[in-house]
């Protein structure tokens, strides 16, 4: 769950409003997301998003919905994070911030 370098030049923050359910902890918040193609240094999305974090047992599932597109799904367990299946993702938790990085892309989520 470590990222070797900060991909985006700005700090990213994540703060979730929490509710507890029988299945574990679920938190949803309207945030600001920036999706960047780091190879081309091009922002693909920069705007409001909805982020949901579901914690159950030893795993965490993050759902990031940006605009009218399909949501990005990330799952973390045993110190590793995956996206939509077998593609491993570098995840950097900045306390009140987070960055997901995979392939040529980085997604920062901020208050």
């Amino acid at each position: 769950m470590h990222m070797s370098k900060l991909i985006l030049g700005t700090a990213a923050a994540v703060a979730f409003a929490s509710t507890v359910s029988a299945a574990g902890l679920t938190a949803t918040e309207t945030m600001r997301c920036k999706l960047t193609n780091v190879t081309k240094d091009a922002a693909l999305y920069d705007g409001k998003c909805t982020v949901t974090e579901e914690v159950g047992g030893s795993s965490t599932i993050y759902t990031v919905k940006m605009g009218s597109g399909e949501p990005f799904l990330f799952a973390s367990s045993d110190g590793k994070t995956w996206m939509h299946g077998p593609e491993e993702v570098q995840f950097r938790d900045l306390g009140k911030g987070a960055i997901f990085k995979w392939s040529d892309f980085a997604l920062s989520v901020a208050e």
Side-chain angles (χ1 to χ4, degrees):
M1 292 180 29
H2 299 357
M3 190 161 73
S4 61
K5 62 182 179 176
L6 183 62
I7 299 303
L8 304 174
T10 60
V14 171
F16 295 107
S18 300
T19 59
V20 177
S21 68
L25 178 70
T26 299
T28 300
E29 184 74 29
T30 299
M31 310 293 287
R32 181 158 192 92
C33 289
K34 184 172 184 180
L35 176 62
T36 305
N37 181 320
V38 294
T39 303
K40 296 182 179 185
D41 193 26
L44 304 173
Y45 182 87
D46 189 358
K48 288 185 181 181
C49 59
T50 302
V51 180
T52 301
E53 178 183 27
E54 298 175 57
V55 179
S58 64
S59 64
T60 303
I61 298 172
Y62 303 94
T63 303
V64 181
K65 175 82 169 141
M66 296 178 282
S68 62
E70 291 294 317
F72 284 86
L73 300 173
F74 303 96
S76 293
S77 182
D78 298 326
K80 294 183 179 185
T81 302
W82 295 270
M83 178 180 140
H84 297 250
E87 184 166 6
E88 193 166 342
V89 174
Q90 293 175 329
F91 173 70
R92 178 147 186 192
D93 184 349
L94 303 172
K96 288 190 174 186
I99 297 174
F100 299 91
K101 183 186 179 306
W102 68 98
S103 185
D104 295 332
F105 301 95
L107 175 59
S108 90
V109 181
E111 286 184 336

